[in-house]
Amino acid sequence: ILNMLAEKVEQMMEWSSRRSMIRMNGDKFRRFVKAPPRNYSVIVMFTALQPQRQCSVCRQANEEYQVLANSWRYSSAFSNKLFFTVVDYDEGADVFQQLNMNSAPTFMHFPAKGKPKRADTFDLQRIGFASEQLAKWIADRTDVQIRVFRPPNYSGTIALALLVSLVGGLLYLRRNNLEFIYNKTGWAMAALCVVFAMTSGQMWNHIRGPPYAHKNPQNGQVSYIHGSSQAQFVAESHIILLLNAAITMGMVLLNEAATSKGEVGKRRIICLVGLGLVVFFFSFLLSIFRSKYHGYPYSFLIK
């Protein structure tokens, strides 16, 4: 048994020296992950990366997983107590069937001793798949601390520099006429854009890194609204942003109809349009709230 364990550890270390994420088919998974003896923990990402699977979330999760695996592989704390592996559906469909797994990506921890518990499956829908969140989960399950190191990304700096240059150039070209800076409507629109972005959950998306949407692998149905109140999809935040914008537009039209001094008939039309926008889109927003907070008793127009 000791010789078999030593051979398995040596083989896993050899694979890790070549690539931080070890690709596994069904036979390798059963021998090196499921079968005893084993004195090391294994993190497995079950995924579907082939283009015909059309799993954009899998590609995004794979990038974050690669960052985490590289951070562990090239850290000073690297040891033979933890390995990162990948099982692709097209290379290990039998593994998916064995584990009764019908969605991807999924992250699981297989401990050195005993069988995986419920907490050994990463809660992707609630937490997202950012490398930092995965590292925190791994620390909870294995006591292995991984400091995530991301390759330098200068896209944000370049975008900021371009924005500053654009604004500076605009101010220079208009240096003799800067009245537009005092335009209240322009500043109000800019403030509303920030408010819409923040209230729709864009900052949560940036921190948690949720998938854009979820595609059910069994029937192909795509969900844009997450069924839990503890999580959301990126598409869901876009929908909420548009609904809030439509409701705000309706309120602006109602205010315009009440304060303007135009023709009565025109003001009445503006009032009806504004009221329709508020009523319909608020009802839609309330229905989404009901679908996420199960048991919420109130509804309006749309159930």
Side-chain angles (χ1 to χ4, degrees), residues 185 188-189 192 196 244-260 267 269-278:
T185 302
M189 293 295 293
L192 280 175
F196 290 151
N244 285 335
I247 294 170
T248 302
M249 184 63 187
M251 295 300 296
V252 170
L253 291 178
L254 286 173
N255 180 72
E256 181 69 18
T259 58
S260 66
R267 290 169 60 188
I269 293 174
I270 294 175
C271 178
L272 291 174
V273 172
L275 184 62
L277 287 174
V278 172

Side-chain angles (χ1 to χ4, degrees), residues 119-165:
D120 286 311
T121 299
F122 183 68
D123 193 347
L124 180 73
Q125 300 295 342
R126 186 175 64 87
I127 304 176
F129 47 70
S131 298
E132 291 76 10
Q133 297 296 333
L134 285 166
K136 183 179 179 181
W137 168 68
I138 291 172
D140 291 338
R141 305 312 303 163
T142 66
D143 292 328
V144 174
Q145 303 290 334
I146 303 176
R147 183 181 178 183
V148 176
F149 176 77
R150 293 182 178 275
N153 186 352
Y154 301 106
S155 59
T157 303
I158 294 174
L160 180 61
L162 289 174
L163 178 61
V164 171
S165 301

